[in-house]
Amino acid sequence: MATDVSEAPAASQNSLLRFLTCGSVDDGKSTLIGRLLYDTKMIFDDQMRSLERDSSRFGTTGDDIDFALLVDGLEAEREQGITIDVAYRFFATDRRKFIVADTPGHEEYTRNMATGASTADLAVVLVDARQGILGQTRRHSFIASLLGIRHIILAVNKIDLVDFDEAVFSRIVTDYQSFAKTLGFASICPIPLSARFGDNVCSPSSRMPWYRGKTLIEQLESVETETDLTGRPFRFPVQLVSRPDDSFRGLSGEIASGSIRTGQEIVLAKSGQTTCVQRIVTMDGDLAEAEAGQAVTLVLEDEVDASRGDLLSLPDNRPTVADHFQAKLIWFDSSPLMPGRSYILRTENHSTSATVTTLKHQIDINSFMHEAAKVLQMNEIGVCNISTQTPILFDAYGENRVTGNFILIDRMSNATVAAGMIDHPLRRALNVHWQTLSVDKKVRSELKAQRPAVLWFTGLSGAGKSTVANALEKMLTAQGRHTYMLDGDNLRHGLNRDLGFTAEDRVENIRRTAEVAKLMADAGLIVLVCLISPFRADRETARAMMPEGEFIEIFIDTPISVCAERDPKGLYKKAFAGQLANFTGVSSPYEAPEHPELRLDTTAGTAEELAAQVAAYLAGHAHPV
Amino acid sequence: MGLSHLQRLEAESIHVMREVVATFSKPVMLYSIGKDSSVMMHLAMKAFYPRRPPFPFLHVDTTWKFREMIKFRDEITQRLGIDLLVHRNPDGIAQGINPFTHGSNLHTHVWKTLGLRQALDLHGFDAAFGGARRDEEKSRAKERIFSFRNAQHAWDPKAQRPEMWKTYNTRIAPGESIRVFPISNWTEADIWQYIQQESIPIVPLYFAARRPVIERDGTLIMVDDERMPLRDGDVVEEKLVRFRTLGCYPLTGAIESSADTLDAVVREVLGARSSERQGRLIDSDEAGSMEKKKKEGYF
């Protein structure tokens, strides 16, 4: 099967198929991949020798060669006999080159499988013939469908262990087809095989005369998966503006779908400007036409305002531009998704701030049922409404996997916390436009002769936030400043009356308070916010909502022993007695600010002295005018 | 009309390179002079055309490379107008680190691992392209295209970011960096077919010629200069050999071959029965040795 030497030049014209294998250790997935590599002569002699060595050391297949060891690359994997991470494997036949994403079947499967599936066009779903369709077969098929895979090979493995029985095979196929009906696959190809002995993998098995279909490799070689990206509407995400000198200005990117010819009229999604394609530039010479999958540089006829993040299309079929949409999210992170918290949303070529406004429901991947949920835990899938700070350019994921995907990134840790697939824009986003007002923030603050600010006092309960803020407000008022104080406790009697003290309610509490503070700053006021606000991420969210320099974080730093001693509301006594759940500093963490604009030590000065420090800071930073 | 697998691999690599230039402030491309580096350099020329690649190329030198490699490096970078940086670990120079007295592990650690870390810190690069491929080694097969490194340049295989679609998380904190592998999904066969298709120049050592070699532990080592210590009984022979992979000459095994043209080399590679890393003495100690080196900051 390895590329024949005499055909080497033709081999460079082979097509490429990216596929995914899913199934658990027991289904023989690694064995199947090992078998494919071995039968297509992708395992070299020295690799075979080290495999034989490792098999006797770590193997789980007795005296036989354990092909699984060939793909378990990390130390922990070999020692524990499990596969931890997605691995990519390569093999080729005379007709096609293959990239296989090998994803483990243990508890982290959702995350790993989603990763492998995101770039795959086909999934090989392994089923143990003795077991039939299991819960995990349903899970794997659901995730494949969710990520947009349209072609399935149902590999009924270990058929040798059920005496090559046709009836067993037929029953499994019927079971699979009935539950997969709702998953929208374009093709399902069932194949009975034995990965261990090679039956129907690369050559037809003489032990199953009743099966006259393709072998696994034949199906992989012939399946047509290029669901014609080229036939779809033209999409060109601008990756980079190329400007070596004044005489050349090109837009570089990879065509996501469709095709483009020189002279064709295109539209830039961000500005709505139209112009024509003048040149399609590559180092191998200009092209007259380019299609999906090609990385090119486009030179446009007119000087238009185009930058990274923009999306080019034809005028008669444009992408959606919206800042509020519905999407499915797969949650990756160990800390759960909280509606209201701000994340960085990254599309293929753009990033902006985003908030999950509503978690509509969670999808149970075993039953495919929708369930109500308040948070999304690691490896859970939910349907959400998401709003972004600036509009993004997209298509529904079902229409276009490139322009319909995004990831969410945590602002503090930079971890990739979720993958998202956009369903559709929300009507509100399309119809509710910002009203342009003629009296603006600048006019309002000039009238008050001050620069607006949000002074955010954070610290433990009883640290002295309200006391210092009170003293400061008196001082500022005496100077003729216009202020307003938002006190966390007071807000909980009204605006935030419906919220408790769970982590997700605290996030929402802070979001609402920050929104109110933002409106008041917009009115030209100096706003003093007193809120325990224990989590860094939430304070960063509030900061991100305000213009640069307007948010001033003031850490009221008082040791918990001092707070507990003061205990103005008797709360510490209750908390230490175990009568108060989620009490910051006792039964719930307080994350101190790392770089606050000001840190005030309440054991080192009176409230008036500390307030004077804040006033001095404001004066020093050109705050009040 | 679909694209060929080489066209798709090329587009993927170009996309990755452009993404790095668009999102990082100080990228650099590691350049080891080998065939994979030659392909990367060619792809970088394509990615930014008509601009030159908007980043420097860095060669972490060990002072033990084949002389022909250095000559080739200087000629090609000059011809393409590439900004080349060469770093040699000053501690390696001061201590005269070499594979003979210090062994291959220490040699590699000082010159390559530490040398690379020094060079990255010295220039403050926040993204470094490397030419590693996933088909080379088992731990590579599990590494991301955008591979995150902490401020100590260490790789934590258990804390890898999930990499979805072509939507890369390019965010890092100050002091941290990213290693980027644009040719992750290429195989050795792809590399050779692409070199052939694109007529990419490569170091002549890849082609068979009569070269002076000695046999050490079953491996043919070329006597590239007078620094090679000869033991009693060593016989320097002229043999028709070529190299499948290039590195430090005392650590790189030659194979006997008569393939002296690109077509012949490609034919030989596609029919090969042993992997290219077999000729590299640094990997053969034990399973997991590459993973260990990578955790220390090796490419």
Side-chain angles (χ1 to χ4, degrees):
Chain A
M1 279 292 175
T3 311
D4 184 36
V5 167
S6 58
E7 288 176 20
S12 62
Q13 297 309 314
N14 281 352
S15 61
L16 177 71
L17 177 71
R18 297 185 72 133
F19 72 93
L20 165 82
T21 53
C22 31
S24 79
V25 193
D26 307 328
D27 297 333
K29 184 168 51 71
S30 297
T31 311
L32 180 67
I33 294 176
R35 168 64 62 187
L36 280 169
L37 297 179
Y38 186 72
D39 285 359
T40 55
K41 313 241 184 325
M42 288 292 144
I43 303 178
F44 295 118
D45 290 346
D46 57 315
Q47 290 173 324
M48 197 67 201
R49 276 195 299 278
S50 78
L51 186 60
E52 281 162 13
R53 209 171 49 226
D54 288 354
S55 290
S56 56
R57 203 160 139 205
F58 309 113
T60 56
T61 50
D63 290 337
D64 289 339
I65 287 173
D66 187 355
F67 283 114
L69 293 173
L70 197 65
V71 291
D72 288 341
L74 303 174
E75 253 173 70
E77 294 180 320
R78 281 192 304 276
E79 281 158 14
Q80 298 165 35
I82 53 161
T83 307
I84 294 172
D85 211 326
V86 193
Y88 294 90
R89 306 286 153 201
F90 309 86
F91 66 97
T93 67
D94 297 346
R95 302 178 59 181
R96 249 188 189 162
K97 178 195 161 88
F98 300 93
I99 300 180
V100 192
D102 177 18
T103 60
H106 71 113
E107 72 274 9
E108 293 251 306
Y109 57 82
T110 305
R111 163 183 166 147
N112 286 314
M113 208 195 126
T115 304
S118 70
T119 50
D121 294 318
L122 176 146
V124 175
V125 177
L126 263 106
V127 175
D128 183 332
R130 296 168 304 175
Q131 308 273 344
I133 307 296
L134 298 178
Q136 68 162 354
T137 319
R138 300 163 61 89
R139 287 200 289 270
H140 293 156
S141 302
F142 175 73
I143 297 166
S145 153
L146 183 70
L147 270 296
I149 289 181
R150 310 254 298 130
H151 300 273
I152 296 288
I153 293 177
L154 180 67
V156 181
N157 191 24
K158 304 191 182 181
I159 197 81
D160 51 306
L161 298 181
V162 295
D163 298 323
F164 306 97
D165 187 349
E166 181 177 10
V168 172
F169 175 70
S170 304
R171 196 164 53 240
I172 291 173
V173 173
T174 312
D175 286 356
Y176 188 84
Q177 281 165 339
S178 73
F179 93 79
K181 238 179 280 165
T182 55
L183 296 178
F185 297 126
S187 79
I188 297 173
C189 173
I191 302 174
L193 53 84
S194 164
R196 187 152 170 214
F197 299 105
D199 298 76
N200 287 336
V201 178
C202 290
S203 48
S205 171
S206 57
R207 299 194 280 185
M208 285 169 272
W210 48 266
Y211 178 74
R212 283 178 295 276
K214 289 175 176 165
T215 62
L216 178 61
I217 202 81
E218 283 169 349
Q219 175 65 8
L220 288 172
E221 277 183 324
S222 61
V223 65
E224 208 40 74
T225 59
E226 286 178 8
T227 30
D228 254 350
L229 273 180
T230 311
R232 293 186 180 226
F234 173 67
R235 295 287 184 266
F236 183 80
V238 177
Q239 223 189 335
L240 194 66
V241 178
S242 174
R243 194 165 216 176
D245 53 55
D246 287 345
S247 67
F248 186 92
R249 186 167 190 273
L251 306 179
S252 297
E254 183 179 318
I255 301 174
S257 59
S259 61
I260 191 75
R261 287 188 315 278
T262 50
Q264 254 184 314
E265 191 180 44
I266 54 98
V267 56
L268 291 112
K270 263 191 193 167
S271 62
Q273 285 175 288
T274 53
T275 179
C276 291
V277 174
Q278 191 181 66
R279 293 174 60 196
I280 303 172
V281 177
T282 77
M283 195 171 86
D284 302 314
D286 280 13
L287 306 175
E289 185 172 5
E291 63 177 41
Q294 281 182 289
V296 294
T297 296
L298 302 180
V299 176
L300 304 178
E301 233 145 63
D302 305 298
E303 268 290 316
V304 286
D305 177 25
S307 56
R308 175 174 165 86
D310 216 327
L311 189 57
L312 272 54
S313 70
L314 301 184
D316 61 351
N317 191 326
R318 305 178 186 209
T320 306
V321 182
D323 62 2
H324 202 195
F325 52 86
Q326 182 187 303
K328 295 192 183 69
L329 277 189
I330 306 175
W331 197 255
F332 291 147
D333 205 53
S334 55
S335 42
L337 159 75
M338 287 192 201
R341 188 167 279 183
S342 165
Y343 298 95
I344 291 160
L345 180 146
R346 175 78 147 81
T347 62
E348 195 177 280
N349 65 340
H350 186 59
S351 68
T352 182
S353 279
T355 308
V356 174
T357 54
T358 318
L359 174 54
K360 300 178 77 166
H361 53 258
Q362 189 193 325
I363 304 174
D364 178 34
I365 58 171
N366 296 305
S367 63
F368 311 160
M369 297 291 281
H370 295 175
E371 292 168 357
K374 273 193 116 177
V375 295
L376 212 52
Q377 305 283 354
M378 182 155 65
N379 286 320
E380 289 180 345
I381 296 165
V383 176
C384 310
N385 290 346
I386 294 180
S387 93
T388 53
Q389 198 170 37
T390 53
I392 64 164
L393 321 169
F394 63 88
D395 294 292
Y397 187 77
E399 300 292 318
N400 196 317
R401 287 167 86 185
V402 178
T403 52
N405 81 61
F406 63 88
I407 57 172
L408 293 182
I409 300 170
D410 183 87
R411 288 181 172 280
M412 308 297 295
S413 67
N414 288 331
T416 302
V417 294
M421 290 139 288
I422 301 177
D423 289 329
H424 52 75
L426 291 170
R427 196 174 293 265
R428 208 192 62 125
L430 298 177
N431 298 332
V432 182
H433 296 285
W434 285 99
Q435 296 296 319
T436 315
L437 305 171
S438 46
V439 178
D440 64 5
K441 185 177 187 176
K442 187 163 171 283
V443 172
R444 286 188 291 265
S445 47
E446 275 170 6
L447 194 64
K448 297 182 183 66
Q450 64 183 30
R451 254 181 73 184
V454 175
L455 306 174
W456 193 279
F457 292 80
T458 172
L460 294 169
S461 175
K465 298 182 293 296
S466 301
T467 314
V468 177
N470 261 315
L472 176 64
E473 192 172 26
K474 259 192 233 162
M475 213 174 277
L476 291 173
T477 307
Q479 293 169 6
R481 305 297 167 210
H482 300 261
T483 59
Y484 194 86
M485 178 139 90
L486 292 171
D487 183 89
D489 285 342
N490 294 348
L491 291 174
R492 280 188 179 275
H493 291 296
L495 179 65
N496 296 339
R497 188 166 50 195
D498 55 328
L499 300 175
F501 289 89
T502 60
E504 56 269 31
D505 277 359
R506 280 172 185 256
V507 171
E508 176 60 15
N509 183 38
I510 290 167
R511 188 193 69 81
R512 287 186 200 173
T513 309
E515 286 286 359
V516 172
K518 186 182 172 183
L519 287 174
M520 289 186 163
D522 194 61
L525 298 177
I526 295 169
V527 193
L528 296 84
V529 181
C530 299
L531 211 52
I532 298 173
S533 44
F535 301 116
R536 256 177 231 140
D538 300 322
R539 297 191 301 263
E540 285 308 308
T541 300
R543 180 188 292 273
M545 286 165 57
M546 319 296 169
E548 184 80 31
E550 197 171 286
F551 183 91
I552 295 154
E553 189 174 16
I554 301 164
F555 176 29
I556 305 298
D557 191 1
T558 308
I560 189 158
S561 55
V562 178
C563 295
E565 206 174 296
R566 289 181 190 158
D567 205 6
K569 297 166 197 160
L571 295 174
Y572 281 94
K573 204 173 291 160
K574 280 192 200 165
F576 285 124
Q579 293 161 2
L580 271 185
N582 297 319
F583 189 75
T584 301
V586 180
S587 46
S588 178
Y590 178 79
E591 299 171 359
E594 281 171 340
H595 307 290
E597 274 76 7
L598 282 169
R599 191 187 75 87
L600 304 179
D601 180 355
T602 61
T603 60
T606 65
E608 284 68 28
E609 286 163 0
L610 299 172
Q613 281 186 41
V614 182
Y617 176 90
L618 287 178
H621 286 73
H623 253 286
V625 180
Chain B
M1 199 346 249
L3 302 179
S4 75
H5 79 279
L6 288 180
Q7 280 176 301
R8 285 181 64 179
L9 290 172
E10 180 189 78
E12 179 183 67
S13 306
I14 288 176
H15 180 265
V16 167
M17 290 182 187
R18 288 172 173 172
E19 202 59 18
V20 168
V21 166
T23 54
F24 286 86
S25 51
K26 215 170 169 201
V28 65
M29 183 168 279
L30 273 290
Y31 178 64
S32 72
I33 324 176
K35 62 183 192 311
D36 299 315
S37 275
S38 296
V39 166
M40 278 229 294
M41 185 182 276
H42 184 76
L43 290 165
M45 295 298 289
K46 283 197 163 190
F48 303 100
Y49 181 85
R51 239 175 129 182
R52 292 226 172 74
F55 42 76
F57 284 62
L58 170 68
H59 179 220
V60 180
D61 193 11
T62 66
T63 71
W64 288 91
K65 299 291 167 190
F66 290 91
R67 285 175 298 169
E68 272 192 273
M69 290 173 72
I70 302 300
K71 183 163 167 271
F72 178 88
R73 175 194 77 189
D74 294 342
E75 280 170 10
I76 190 94
T77 49
Q78 202 195 359
R79 185 152 62 78
L80 298 177
I82 275 168
D83 177 12
L84 175 75
L85 304 169
V86 177
H87 181 83
R88 293 184 198 94
N89 182 352
D91 302 330
I93 296 173
Q95 294 163 40
I97 300 292
N98 67 77
F100 306 110
T101 25
H102 302 99
S104 66
N105 279 334
L106 185 70
H107 171 80
T108 305
H109 185 70
V110 171
W111 285 115
K112 293 171 94 172
T113 307
L114 298 182
L116 174 65
R117 271 157 48 172
Q118 280 170 353
L120 295 179
D121 289 341
L122 180 69
H123 298 276
F125 294 122
D126 56 357
F129 293 106
R133 307 189 319 262
R134 285 172 173 158
D135 76 326
E136 281 178 278
E137 201 272 337
K138 284 193 275 193
S139 69
R140 295 249 202 245
K142 307 221 163 174
E143 188 163 8
R144 306 289 184 257
I145 293 177
F146 282 71
S147 185
F148 176 82
R149 300 299 157 103
N150 66 18
Q152 284 73 47
H153 302 283
W155 181 55
D156 181 358
K158 290 203 183 115
Q160 297 202 85
R161 295 171 175 175
E163 201 158 85
M164 302 284 296
W165 304 287
K166 290 179 290 158
T167 304
Y168 300 108
N169 178 353
T170 51
R171 291 179 61 90
I172 51 168
E176 296 170 345
S177 63
I178 291 240
R179 305 277 171 95
V180 188
F181 303 103
I183 57 169
S184 285
N185 288 326
W186 296 56
T187 61
E188 191 188 9
D190 297 328
I191 292 286
W192 281 111
Q193 284 173 353
Y194 189 70
I195 287 171
Q196 197 174 30
Q197 175 187 299
E198 302 281 308
S199 308
I200 300 171
I202 49 172
V203 183
L205 292 162
Y206 286 111
F207 303 112
R210 296 199 73 79
R211 299 188 169 97
V213 293
I214 56 167
E215 199 181 315
R216 278 282 158 85
D217 310 319
T219 305
L220 291 177
I221 300 292
M222 179 171 161
V223 183
D224 193 49
D225 58 35
E226 67 296 339
R227 291 178 297 170
M228 177 94 199
L230 298 179
R231 300 176 194 154
D232 284 348
D234 271 343
V235 186
V236 182
E237 287 178 282
E238 288 272 321
K239 280 193 171 164
L240 192 57
V241 295
R242 63 175 208 89
F243 296 86
R244 279 182 80 179
T245 168
L246 294 178
C248 296
Y249 80 80
L251 296 174
T252 308
I255 51 168
E256 291 196 73
S257 162
S258 59
D260 57 355
T261 63
L262 196 50
D263 287 352
V265 168
V266 172
R267 220 175 298 134
E268 195 179 276
V269 168
L270 295 181
R273 291 308 311 141
S274 63
S275 71
E276 60 187 322
R277 285 211 158 252
Q278 195 188 23
R280 279 194 201 175
L281 302 181
I282 58 165
D283 287 336
S284 56
D285 359 342
E286 58 177 303
S289 71
M290 176 64 79
E291 182 183 350
K292 210 176 299 162
K293 278 199 277 288
K294 287 167 75 69
K295 285 178 182 166
E296 292 166 1
Y298 182 73
F299 244 89

